[in-house]
């Protein structure tokens, strides 16, 4: 594994889990007013495509990372629709 | 370019620009209360690492996409610190 691979892998892991504090905050406060439904909808689409890309290249880290990221984003979208 | 490459490239572009509606919303409303500073800080770190990865593998789409994404995220962080 090259330095580039390690940095790329770390970047993927960090981005995948990045919305965890946002999910926790929404779970606690049930407040989503300042969040943009458009932004998280676009993000969910992108993460889903990354997930499909992972399936096509048979990369477990890409599949797993983006499945987690897409699930978090979907939770944010559902809470945004529910709480406005 | 394979189908996988096209899907991966599309995913990268979509994820890079995904926070555009959030940036516009914050610019208009100046409201950031429901956003998680932690989430966007982690995201900025991840996008910066993707940017470094792009430099190391000499990939213009990865460099450009993540430079844009990191800039948007940095704007959200600055506005969050300023407006609370």
């Amino acid at each position: 594994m090259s330095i580039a691979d390690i940095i790329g892998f770390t970047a993927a892991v960090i981005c995948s889990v990045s919305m965890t504090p946002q999910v926790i905050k929404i779970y606690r406060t049930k407040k989503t007013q300042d969040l943009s439904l458009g932004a998280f909808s676009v993000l969910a689409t992108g993460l889903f495509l990354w997930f499909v890309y992972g399936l096509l290249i048979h990369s477990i880290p890409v599949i797993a990372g983006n499945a987690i990221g897409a699930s978090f984003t979907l939770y944010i979208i559902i809470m945004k629709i529910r709480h406005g």
Side-chain angles (χ1 to χ4, degrees), chain A residues 46-56 59 62-64 66-68 70:
Chain A
L47 292 175
F48 176 74
L49 285 179
W50 270 132
F51 173 77
V52 173
Y53 175 76
L55 290 174
L56 291 172
S59 165
V62 176
I63 295 169
N66 288 290
I68 294 167

Side-chain angles (χ1 to χ4, degrees), chain A residues 60-80:
Chain A
I60 299 292
V62 176
I63 295 169
N66 288 290
I68 294 167
S71 304
F72 285 176
T73 309
L74 212 62
Y75 172 81
I76 294 171
I77 291 170
I78 291 168
M79 294 301 272
K80 173 69 186 171

Side-chain angles (χ1 to χ4, degrees), chain A:
Chain A
M1 221 183 190
S2 69
I3 295 283
D5 285 343
I6 294 166
I7 291 176
F9 187 78
T10 309
V13 172
I14 290 177
C15 282
S16 297
V17 301
S18 64
M19 284 300 138
T20 313
Q22 185 66 65
V23 166
I24 294 169
K25 190 181 174 97
I26 293 172
Y27 180 78
R28 281 191 186 145
T29 64
K30 313 291 179 211
K31 284 179 131 182
T32 54
Q33 211 191 327
D34 303 337
L35 296 170
S36 161
L37 181 60
F40 285 91
S41 302
V42 175
L43 182 62
T45 308
L47 292 175
F48 176 74
L49 285 179
W50 270 132
F51 173 77
V52 173
Y53 175 76
L55 290 174
L56 291 172
I57 66 161
H58 306 287
S59 165
I60 299 292
V62 176
I63 295 169
N66 288 290
I68 294 167
S71 304
F72 285 176
T73 309
L74 212 62
Y75 172 81
I76 294 171
I77 291 170
I78 291 168
M79 294 301 272
K80 173 69 186 171
I81 291 169
R82 191 178 289 176
H83 297 288

